[in-house]
PDB file of all heavy atoms in Angstrom:
ATOM      1  N   VAL A 172      17.578  23.333  -0.468  1.00  0.00           N
ATOM      2  CA  VAL A 172      17.038  24.693  -0.431  1.00  0.00           C
ATOM      3  C   VAL A 172      16.830  25.207   0.986  1.00  0.00           C
ATOM      4  O   VAL A 172      16.312  26.305   1.187  1.00  0.00           O
ATOM      5  CB  VAL A 172      15.712  24.807  -1.235  1.00  0.00           C
ATOM      6  CG1 VAL A 172      15.924  24.396  -2.673  1.00  0.00           C
ATOM      7  CG2 VAL A 172      14.594  23.987  -0.580  1.00  0.00           C
ATOM      8  N   GLY A 173      17.229  24.439   1.987  1.00  0.00           N
ATOM      9  CA  GLY A 173      16.977  24.835   3.365  1.00  0.00           C
ATOM     10  C   GLY A 173      17.671  26.108   3.792  1.00  0.00           C
ATOM     11  O   GLY A 173      17.238  26.772   4.734  1.00  0.00           O
ATOM     12  N   HIS A 174      18.767  26.466   3.105  1.00  0.00           N
ATOM     13  CA  HIS A 174      19.511  27.680   3.461  1.00  0.00           C
ATOM     14  C   HIS A 174      19.090  28.871   2.605  1.00  0.00           C
ATOM     15  O   HIS A 174      19.733  29.928   2.655  1.00  0.00           O
ATOM     16  CB  HIS A 174      21.012  27.432   3.271  1.00  0.00           C
ATOM     17  CG  HIS A 174      21.407  27.179   1.847  1.00  0.00           C
ATOM     18  ND1 HIS A 174      21.067  26.018   1.180  1.00  0.00           N
ATOM     19  CD2 HIS A 174      22.089  27.948   0.954  1.00  0.00           C
ATOM     20  CE1 HIS A 174      21.534  26.079  -0.053  1.00  0.00           C
ATOM     21  NE2 HIS A 174      22.145  27.238  -0.222  1.00  0.00           N
ATOM     22  N   LEU A 175      18.002  28.705   1.835  1.00  0.00           N
ATOM     23  CA  LEU A 175      17.539  29.752   0.926  1.00  0.00           C
ATOM     24  C   LEU A 175      16.158  30.245   1.321  1.00  0.00           C
ATOM     25  O   LEU A 175      15.417  29.562   2.021  1.00  0.00           O
ATOM     26  CB  LEU A 175      17.477  29.218  -0.513  1.00  0.00           C
ATOM     27  CG  LEU A 175      18.782  28.702  -1.118  1.00  0.00           C
ATOM     28  CD1 LEU A 175      18.488  27.985  -2.435  1.00  0.00           C
ATOM     29  CD2 LEU A 175      19.763  29.849  -1.338  1.00  0.00           C
ATOM     30  N   THR A 176      15.805  31.442   0.851  1.00  0.00           N
ATOM     31  CA  THR A 176      14.433  31.918   0.978  1.00  0.00           C
ATOM     32  C   THR A 176      13.646  31.478  -0.250  1.00  0.00           C
ATOM     33  O   THR A 176      14.227  31.110  -1.277  1.00  0.00           O
ATOM     34  CB  THR A 176      14.379  33.452   1.080  1.00  0.00           C
ATOM     35  OG1 THR A 176      14.834  34.003  -0.174  1.00  0.00           O
ATOM     36  CG2 THR A 176      15.246  33.965   2.223  1.00  0.00           C
ATOM     37  N   LYS A 177      12.333  31.525  -0.148  1.00  0.00           N
ATOM     38  CA  LYS A 177      11.504  31.158  -1.291  1.00  0.00           C
ATOM     39  C   LYS A 177      11.789  32.068  -2.476  1.00  0.00           C
ATOM     40  O   LYS A 177      11.845  31.613  -3.626  1.00  0.00           O
ATOM     41  CB  LYS A 177      10.023  31.252  -0.907  1.00  0.00           C
ATOM     42  CG  LYS A 177       9.076  30.771  -1.987  1.00  0.00           C
ATOM     43  CD  LYS A 177       9.106  29.263  -2.109  1.00  0.00           C
ATOM     44  CE  LYS A 177       8.081  28.748  -3.101  1.00  0.00           C
ATOM     45  NZ  LYS A 177       7.876  27.306  -3.023  1.00  0.00           N
ATOM     46  N   LYS A 178      11.979  33.351  -2.199  1.00  0.00           N
ATOM     47  CA  LYS A 178      12.279  34.301  -3.279  1.00  0.00           C
ATOM     48  C   LYS A 178      13.564  33.902  -3.995  1.00  0.00           C
ATOM     49  O   LYS A 178      13.640  33.932  -5.230  1.00  0.00           O
ATOM     50  CB  LYS A 178      12.399  35.715  -2.711  1.00  0.00           C
ATOM     51  CG  LYS A 178      12.666  36.780  -3.755  1.00  0.00           C
ATOM     52  CD  LYS A 178      12.734  38.165  -3.120  1.00  0.00           C
ATOM     53  CE  LYS A 178      13.007  39.250  -4.172  1.00  0.00           C
ATOM     54  NZ  LYS A 178      13.089  40.595  -3.550  1.00  0.00           N
ATOM     55  N   GLU A 179      14.575  33.524  -3.234  1.00  0.00           N
ATOM     56  CA  GLU A 179      15.840  33.115  -3.845  1.00  0.00           C
ATOM     57  C   GLU A 179      15.675  31.839  -4.662  1.00  0.00           C
ATOM     58  O   GLU A 179      16.290  31.695  -5.739  1.00  0.00           O
ATOM     59  CB  GLU A 179      16.893  32.910  -2.753  1.00  0.00           C
ATOM     60  CG  GLU A 179      17.353  34.202  -2.099  1.00  0.00           C
ATOM     61  CD  GLU A 179      18.224  33.969  -0.880  1.00  0.00           C
ATOM     62  OE1 GLU A 179      18.047  32.922  -0.204  1.00  0.00           O
ATOM     63  OE2 GLU A 179      19.090  34.823  -0.603  1.00  0.00           O
ATOM     64  N   VAL A 180      14.859  30.918  -4.190  1.00  0.00           N
ATOM     65  CA  VAL A 180      14.622  29.675  -4.931  1.00  0.00           C
ATOM     66  C   VAL A 180      13.987  29.982  -6.282  1.00  0.00           C
ATOM     67  O   VAL A 180      14.397  29.438  -7.319  1.00  0.00           O
ATOM     68  CB  VAL A 180      13.737  28.721  -4.108  1.00  0.00           C
ATOM     69  CG1 VAL A 180      13.217  27.571  -4.971  1.00  0.00           C
ATOM     70  CG2 VAL A 180      14.512  28.169  -2.920  1.00  0.00           C
ATOM     71  N   ARG A 181      12.995  30.858  -6.302  1.00  0.00           N
ATOM     72  CA  ARG A 181      12.359  31.212  -7.584  1.00  0.00           C
ATOM     73  C   ARG A 181      13.339  31.933  -8.507  1.00  0.00           C
ATOM     74  O   ARG A 181      13.326  31.719  -9.722  1.00  0.00           O
ATOM     75  CB  ARG A 181      11.117  32.066  -7.331  1.00  0.00           C
ATOM     76  CG  ARG A 181       9.971  31.288  -6.693  1.00  0.00           C
ATOM     77  CD  ARG A 181       8.637  31.965  -6.928  1.00  0.00           C
ATOM     78  NE  ARG A 181       7.543  31.259  -6.282  1.00  0.00           N
ATOM     79  CZ  ARG A 181       6.904  30.216  -6.796  1.00  0.00           C
ATOM     80  NH1 ARG A 181       7.273  29.744  -7.980  1.00  0.00           N
ATOM     81  NH2 ARG A 181       5.900  29.644  -6.150  1.00  0.00           N
ATOM     82  N   GLN A 182      14.188  32.757  -7.945  1.00  0.00           N
ATOM     83  CA  GLN A 182      15.182  33.460  -8.771  1.00  0.00           C
ATOM     84  C   GLN A 182      16.148  32.475  -9.404  1.00  0.00           C
ATOM     85  O   GLN A 182      16.505  32.614 -10.584  1.00  0.00           O
ATOM     86  CB  GLN A 182      15.927  34.486  -7.912  1.00  0.00           C
ATOM     87  CG  GLN A 182      15.099  35.697  -7.519  1.00  0.00           C
ATOM     88  CD  GLN A 182      15.810  36.599  -6.514  1.00  0.00           C
ATOM     89  OE1 GLN A 182      16.769  36.178  -5.852  1.00  0.00           O
ATOM     90  NE2 GLN A 182      15.345  37.825  -6.395  1.00  0.00           N
ATOM     91  N   ILE A 183      16.580  31.489  -8.644  1.00  0.00           N
ATOM     92  CA  ILE A 183      17.473  30.447  -9.187  1.00  0.00           C
ATOM     93  C   ILE A 183      16.764  29.691 -10.308  1.00  0.00           C
ATOM     94  O   ILE A 183      17.353  29.428 -11.366  1.00  0.00           O
ATOM     95  CB  ILE A 183      17.912  29.488  -8.070  1.00  0.00           C
ATOM     96  CG1 ILE A 183      18.850  30.197  -7.096  1.00  0.00           C
ATOM     97  CG2 ILE A 183      18.599  28.242  -8.660  1.00  0.00           C
ATOM     98  CD1 ILE A 183      19.155  29.398  -5.843  1.00  0.00           C
TER      99      ILE A 183
END
Side-chain angles (χ1 to χ4, degrees):
V172 302
H174 65 290
L175 300 170
T176 66
K177 185 73 175 193
K178 182 178 180 181
E179 290 171 331
V180 167
R181 290 202 182 276
Q182 288 172 342
I183 291 171

